[in-house]
Amino acid sequence: MASLDGPEINWAWFARRAPRIIAVYIILVLALRLLLSRFMEIDEAQFVGAVDFSWIYGNSHPPLYNWLVRSALELTGWNWVLSLALVRLSLLGLYHWLVFDTARRLGGDRAGVLALMASAFLPQIVWMSIQTTAHTVLVVAASIGIIHALALIRSGKGNIAYVWFGIWAAVGALAKYNFFIFLISFLVAATLTPSIRRQLFSRSIWISIAIFVTAFTPVVMASIKAPLAATAGRMEKLNQPVEYLDVIDLPHIGIDGFTSLVVSAVLWAGLAFIVYVIGRTRDHPRPVADGDEDVRKLLLRTILIGMGAFALLVLVADYHSVAQRYMAPILAPTAILLALYLPQVLGARNLLFLSACMFVLAPLGFAGVALFGTPRFTFPYDAVSGAIRAQNPAPATIISNRQDDAANISVLLHWPPEQGSTTDIVLVWQDNNPPTEGLLARLPADALPASPVTRVSAPVRNFSKELRTFSFQRFSSRSPVPDQSNDE
């Protein structure tokens, strides 16, 4: 790609325009998401019936993201798809700005732009965050926010920097519990770095502590009544075996889980690292690292300590599977670290081109899958909800073995669990078969059939036109509906 070489890059020009580029990109992706489907995918559907400003919910996460969704619903007149996409993509835009501004403050305009570009090679950011995920994008933004607050502290912003440090610590704690692995790793790394230890742990750190304790204490108090409910779901997912790792599944030690962690870490950040290393091969001499050496050490130590602690947990607890998103807060500094450690000269022009391509191709790929594949958020939920209403317009609680099925249908009907409560229940499932025993177990014990089984077949709402069949049946009951928080 030598043809892309040219005059020296004007980093200041790009840096001045970066915030506007981020804003335009997020607006375009938001518009694309709204055009592709008016239904929710699985991660979005988890919030239906869980936006009542509680301190603890049944989804194994702290409550902040639920509160943000509720606030967006109030602003948009309870437009669920718009609200959910608006929250997620706004947080994605915040992540991009924080990465850019943090690196710029730590290493100058070149570092800021290179960090923004590095995010294009992180699949969990450039691909997953534009179409799914929820709490993950919030916790990643909070992790970068902590580093941004450190940059403010380093630049002498005084007490306001410690206010931001406390705010971001509270946001992370209220976003996702694995944030604490990052936060503790960051604080340990800061303790091991003398110049940062003296600056961070000054008397003003009590401001940060006060903000954090004030924000997080109510969640702790609410969790005391059911301490296992807050983490059991996530721990159970770590226990799910990975088929291709069964051969190294040894008893009492999580060798397979450790291997899964390594694979996930490589998938999370490996491409970005390889691209940035290759980009420097054409630079002779290669430019020295940007920013302060102690900050670079801090970020690298944070990642290594966090990964080491997570690996030890997986090994000792004999866990089997570690998804990429579980390590998101630990690996959040990756883009900034690459920008500071691996600055580019000739390679930078190629990276600008490649990252621009990735930022464009990701939403186009998402659109291609949505338009020509059969993703769940294109299923014919409108046909199913219309048939349910036509059979009996009296409101009922929608229950299904798939949370996204129940959520989409209830939102289209404006029936529970979206809002309110009823004595009737409509059981919904896919295919022509009778409901499974597991699905029937979700009904109250005194539930009696109030209608025959009805089946609806309709094409998915895109160009593939693949037929999908749903079945439903209405029941009546005077007992409360059992807890549905264990939906698949």
Side-chain angles (χ1 to χ4, degrees), residues 423-445:
T423 56
D424 275 11
I425 299 160
V426 173
L427 205 63
V428 179
W429 65 97
Q430 290 193 43
D431 65 44
N432 293 309
N433 299 320
T436 63
E437 291 297 325
L439 180 56
L440 291 172
R442 295 172 182 264
L443 293 168

Side-chain angles (χ1 to χ4, degrees), residues 41-48 50-51 54-70 84 87-89 91-92 95 124-125 128-129 131-144 168 170-179 230 234 237 268 324-330 332 403:
E41 52 81 34
I42 184 63
D43 277 1
E44 294 172 334
Q46 66 180 294
F47 299 101
V48 175
V51 290
S54 297
W55 284 106
I56 186 170
Y57 295 95
N59 60 4
S60 301
H61 289 305
L64 181 55
Y65 203 101
N66 300 63
W67 299 345
L68 293 176
V69 171
R70 175 57 181 268
L84 290 160
V87 171
R88 182 178 70 254
L89 294 174
L91 290 171
L92 179 60
Y95 160 83
Q124 286 290 311
I125 300 299
M128 294 301 297
S129 293
Q131 57 178 309
T132 184
T133 71
H135 303 83
T136 296
V137 69
L138 177 57
V139 76
V140 168
S143 299
I144 301 298
W168 285 119
V171 168
L174 293 172
K176 203 170 182 180
Y177 292 116
N178 60 352
F179 171 77
R234 301 300 119 183
K237 290 189 176 184
W268 208 100
Q324 293 180 49
R325 63 185 180 274
Y326 298 165
M327 296 179 295
I330 305 170
Q403 188 178 44

Side-chain angles (χ1 to χ4, degrees), residues 8-84:
E8 184 178 351
I9 294 175
N10 185 345
W11 295 107
W13 187 90
F14 281 103
R16 286 195 301 270
R17 288 160 177 78
R20 280 174 285 176
I21 293 172
I22 293 170
V24 170
Y25 180 75
I26 294 300
I27 291 170
L28 291 175
V29 174
L30 175 62
L32 178 66
R33 169 63 183 92
L34 298 178
L35 288 171
L36 289 175
S37 174
R38 63 190 183 98
F39 306 138
M40 296 171 285
E41 52 81 34
I42 184 63
D43 277 1
E44 294 172 334
Q46 66 180 294
F47 299 101
V48 175
V51 290
D52 55 351
F53 289 115
S54 297
W55 284 106
I56 186 170
Y57 295 95
N59 60 4
S60 301
H61 289 305
L64 181 55
Y65 203 101
N66 300 63
W67 299 345
L68 293 176
V69 171
R70 175 57 181 268
S71 300
L73 286 168
E74 297 291 347
L75 289 173
T76 63
W78 285 74
N79 184 321
W80 278 90
V81 174
L82 173 58
S83 298
L84 290 160

